[in-house]
Amino acid sequence: MSGFWPWYWGGFAVAAIAVAYPYCTGRLLGVSGLYARALAVISELFSPAPQPDEDAALLAALEAETQAEFGHPEPLAAPAPTGLDAVRRSPTRSAPLFLLGIIGGAALAALLRADAVDPLKLGQLFGERFATPTTAVLALAVSGVCIGFGTRLAGGCTSGHGITGVACGERGSLLATLVFWSVGVAVARLCVLRIGA
Amino acid sequence: MSCPHKDGCVLFPLFALKASLKTWQIRYCDADYSRCERFEKAQRDEPVPDSLLPNGKSLPSKKT
């Protein structure tokens, strides 16, 4: 298959994901939040294991006092979830899985396109502006940092605000979407005009 | 109605750490906070020790 897939396929796919994600995880879809959670999980993996300290002793004393007061050690403990329930209740599982799905899905789509060979070729204007691989990678990296900063500042990204928030009728999301969409269009237009001049 | 002091209570977040400890929140913070020793002290504008439990008993204090 060559060329881009029909744009409306993407619309249907995004809508399906926006509906399926809350059903499968119990959380609203927001990709920047998923990235943040995944990074938190990764940072925990590399941080040193907590040593037994006064907090642990305090917690143990609290548990002992709880048992003395109420007489049952785990009165509200639910059975450990299994299968899909386990994924639903565990952001440490669903977030990395979803992010892997984004990367894997993009890779699969690229593989299915016979002419998609260079991830740095993002169109004629980008190629003219950032002609070498180094400048292209730098431009993408700086853009990624700016997008990351903006999404954390705004409390969400195009998926969280633009898809989920707007669909839920959140005023803040509507405003955020209006701002980043209109600024994005204006900046892209400016770039086109400057390059065309 | 929940206890009006729960946002500033040092023990409230501790009670959320384990399922067994949630009983404190359910029995005191969310149900009948008027019998919580911490609430009573706060209402009397008395200092509330971090180690004071809702039932009036005390946990071992943290060393500083």
Side-chain angles (χ1 to χ4, degrees), chain B residues 7-8 38 40 59:
Chain B
D7 286 339
R38 300 180 64 82
E40 288 182 8
L59 289 170

Side-chain angles (χ1 to χ4, degrees), chain B residues 16-57:
Chain B
L17 291 177
K18 287 197 165 191
S20 57
L21 303 181
K22 284 278 283 184
T23 312
W24 292 100
Q25 286 185 352
I26 294 167
R27 300 279 176 88
Y28 284 95
C29 313
D30 295 332
D32 190 6
Y33 57 82
S34 63
R35 65 193 180 98
C36 171
E37 281 290 330
R38 300 180 64 82
F39 172 80
E40 288 182 8
K41 277 188 177 292
Q43 289 299 99
R44 294 195 297 264
D45 282 335
E46 293 176 14
V48 183
D50 288 355
S51 58
L52 179 66
L53 286 168
N55 62 1
K57 294 182 183 175

Side-chain angles (χ1 to χ4, degrees), chain A residues 54-55 57-59 61-63 65-66 68-70 72-78, chain B residues 14-15 17-24 26-28 53 55 57 59-60 62-63:
Chain A
E54 289 183 1
D55 285 340
L58 187 70
L59 205 57
L62 186 54
E63 283 190 293
E65 190 56 45
T66 303
E69 174 77 6
F70 303 110
H72 35 64
E74 296 283 340
L76 300 172
Chain B
L14 275 182
F15 293 152
L17 291 177
K18 287 197 165 191
S20 57
L21 303 181
K22 284 278 283 184
T23 312
W24 292 100
I26 294 167
R27 300 279 176 88
Y28 284 95
L53 286 168
N55 62 1
K57 294 182 183 175
L59 289 170
K62 270 178 92 170
K63 292 170 194 157

Side-chain angles (χ1 to χ4, degrees), chain A residues 3-15:
Chain A
F4 286 108
W5 293 351
W7 56 267
Y8 47 86
W9 287 14
F12 282 120
V14 169

